[in-house]
């Protein structure tokens, strides 16, 4: 995505709505679980909040140092995944907190820098690692067996022709560039330049989610947020596709005791726990004006809730 009109590397999505959901009070302790370019963090600092911000991307942490220096001690930037936020806050004597915001997914900086290997519109090395360590997308497509690749494309990309794409990937190995992978997928699915949606979108999303364990991180992050929020504390979560939004919606319905008929998979939770969240807001989406300013906002969904004084459901 291109930089914002004001030159910001990433335009924060649903910013006003997120701030309303967090209801930041001066002097309150807020967690920005996905710092990125610091769009939410800046606004929280401007409202007088103290921020503990997390990011797993070393580039985001490096770029954020100027803001740390300018914050006069109000911003602590932590290079860690948000699944670890409880231990990281505990180590800093920062528990419990008044608010947690999560803005799930990739930053515009990741998409805009071809060398990060997230973009199928610009050619670069096939990487896609948010933390810049561990298995790369090239490692995955060149070494995983065909059935595993197909499962990943089906599960995390909701790719209807996952087997066909997986077969084409295996036949084209080795694949080392994002441009090559996009070409293989488009050829396998018969893409024509005037088609509305590039079919490579689903494959790139699937591989990214799998490599970065994004859905596992989200589940762990939500449970951690429940444990670190004080009674009355606020949670705000922005997601960008239905797989993630379904998880957030289900989590908040369960935890607020409004899961119709309880959870078939988690019957013990229904019996043993009091609601840990209340005041669960309806899904909030960007309006036309925001989408015109920032097309990335089109697929964003915000959900908010307030922590009760009941115990967290997981230790
Ligand atoms: C959509 S961007 C956040 C943008 C930010 N709200 C802003 O206004 O600039 C998501 C950021 O979260 C980070 N991220 C994604 N998953 C993460 C995780 N599990 N733990 C920590 N950071 C994560 C990414 O590295 C990326 O920088």
């Amino acid at each position: 995505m291109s930089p914002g009109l004001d030159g910001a590397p990433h335009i924060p999505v649903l910013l006003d709505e997120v701030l309303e959901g967090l209801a930041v009070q001066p002097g309150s302790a807020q967690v920005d679980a996905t710092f990125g370019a610091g769009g939410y963090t800046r606004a929280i600092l401007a409202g007088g909040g103290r921020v503990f911000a997390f990011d797993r991307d070393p580039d985001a942490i490096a770029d954020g140092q100027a803001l740390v220096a300018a914050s006069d001690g109000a911003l602590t930037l932590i290079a860690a995944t948000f699944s670890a936020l409880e231990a990281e806050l505990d180590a800093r004597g920062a528990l419990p907190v008044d608010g947690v915001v999560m803005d799930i997914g990739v930053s515009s900086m990741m998409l805009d820098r071809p060398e990060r290997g997230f973009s199928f519109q610009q050619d670069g090395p096939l990487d896609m690692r948010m933390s810049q360590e561990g298995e790369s997308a090239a490692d995955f497509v060149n070494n995983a067996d065909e059935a595993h690749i197909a499962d990943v494309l089906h599960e995390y990309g909701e790719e209807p022709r996952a087997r066909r794409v997986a077969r084409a990937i295996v036949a084209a190995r080795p694949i080392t560039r994002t441009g090559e992978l996009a070409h293989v997928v488009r050829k396998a699915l018969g893409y024509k330049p005037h088609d509305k949606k590039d079919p490579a979108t689903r494959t790139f999303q699937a591989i990214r989610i799998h490599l970065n364990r994004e859905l596992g991180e989200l589940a762990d992050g939500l449970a951690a947020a429940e444990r670190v929020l004080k009674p009355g504390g606020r949670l705000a979560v922005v997601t960008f596709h239905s797989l993630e939004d379904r998880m957030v919606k289900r989590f908040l319905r369960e935890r607020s005791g409004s899961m119709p008929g309880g959870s078939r998979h988690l019957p013990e939770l229904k019996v043993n726990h009091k609601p840990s969240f209340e005041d669960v807001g309806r899904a909030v989406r960007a309006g036309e004006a925001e989408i015109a300013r920032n097309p990335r906002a089109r697929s964003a969904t915000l959900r908010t809730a307030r922590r009760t004084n009941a115990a967290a459901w997981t230790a």
Side-chain angles (χ1 to χ4, degrees):
M1 229 196 52
S2 34
L5 295 177
D6 58 358
H10 178 106
I11 307 172
V13 168
L14 292 168
L15 178 61
D16 292 343
E17 295 81 354
V18 163
L19 291 174
E20 195 180 319
L22 289 176
V24 177
Q25 300 298 316
S28 62
Q30 306 288 330
V31 173
D32 182 349
T34 49
F35 177 76
Y40 295 165
T41 288
R42 276 170 224 274
I44 296 168
L45 291 171
R50 163 111 184 66
V51 182
F52 295 88
F54 290 75
D55 209 294
R56 74 198 305 196
D57 178 4
D59 287 357
I61 298 293
D63 293 349
Q65 293 309 317
L67 188 58
V68 173
S71 76
D72 204 15
L75 170 60
T76 303
L77 194 48
I78 302 166
T81 56
F82 55 64
S83 55
L85 70 85
E86 186 181 22
E88 296 287 342
L89 293 173
D90 195 22
R92 290 165 178 81
L95 292 175
V97 297
D98 298 283
V100 174
V101 59
M102 306 168 83
D103 181 14
I104 302 303
V106 284
S107 65
S108 300
M109 292 83 77
M110 288 168 172
L111 294 173
D112 286 343
R113 295 177 185 162
E115 67 274 17
R116 296 298 304 271
F118 285 95
S119 173
F120 56 85
Q121 280 153 346
Q122 306 179 72
D123 186 44
L126 195 50
D127 191 316
M128 298 195 210
R129 295 171 299 176
M130 288 183 175
S131 310
Q132 302 185 27
E133 59 183 25
E135 187 186 25
S136 70
D139 294 335
F140 175 70
V141 299
N142 291 319
N143 297 310
D145 66 39
E146 192 178 310
H148 185 202
I149 295 175
D151 286 348
V152 165
L153 301 186
H154 172 70
E155 193 171 344
Y156 301 134
E158 300 180 294
E159 170 55 65
R161 287 178 289 171
R163 285 185 192 289
R164 175 194 286 259
V165 177
R167 203 176 317 128
I169 288 174
V170 168
R173 287 173 177 176
I175 303 173
T176 60
R177 311 283 301 176
T178 58
E180 284 176 78
L181 178 61
H183 175 73
V184 168
V185 177
R186 288 173 190 143
K187 202 164 157 219
L189 297 179
Y191 174 61
K192 299 183 195 66
H194 59 265
D195 285 353
K196 218 168 144 198
K197 191 170 175 187
D198 189 328
T201 313
R202 295 189 292 271
T203 291
F204 273 66
Q205 172 188 302
I207 295 174
R208 195 201 89 205
I209 290 177
H210 167 67
L211 281 181
N212 294 291
R213 209 185 75 83
E214 290 181 44
L215 300 186
E217 275 291 316
L218 178 56
D220 293 349
L222 291 170
E226 181 192 38
R227 293 192 299 269
V228 304
L229 281 167
K230 60 176 68 158
R234 308 289 189 123
L235 175 67
V237 187
V238 177
T239 59
F240 289 88
H241 56 75
S242 55
L243 289 172
E244 298 165 341
D245 182 50
R246 279 202 292 271
M247 284 181 62
V248 179
K249 181 175 174 183
R250 183 190 170 95
F251 174 83
L252 290 176
R253 285 175 98 182
E254 241 175 28
R255 298 308 211 248
S256 61
S258 57
M259 183 76 99
S263 162
R264 199 159 43 84
H265 303 292
L266 302 167
E268 78 285 5
L269 295 181
K270 187 188 166 209
V271 173
N272 294 333
H273 297 278
K274 296 207 173 81
S276 57
F277 282 97
E278 60 188 2
D279 197 15
V280 176
R282 300 176 81 85
V284 176
R285 295 182 189 279
E288 306 232 324
E290 176 168 1
I291 294 170
R293 236 179 17 250
N294 182 10
R296 185 171 179 275
R298 183 182 300 282
S299 47
T301 305
L302 165 68
R303 293 185 187 269
T304 58
R306 189 172 60 225
R307 186 73 173 82
T308 68
N309 58 10
W313 289 23
T314 56

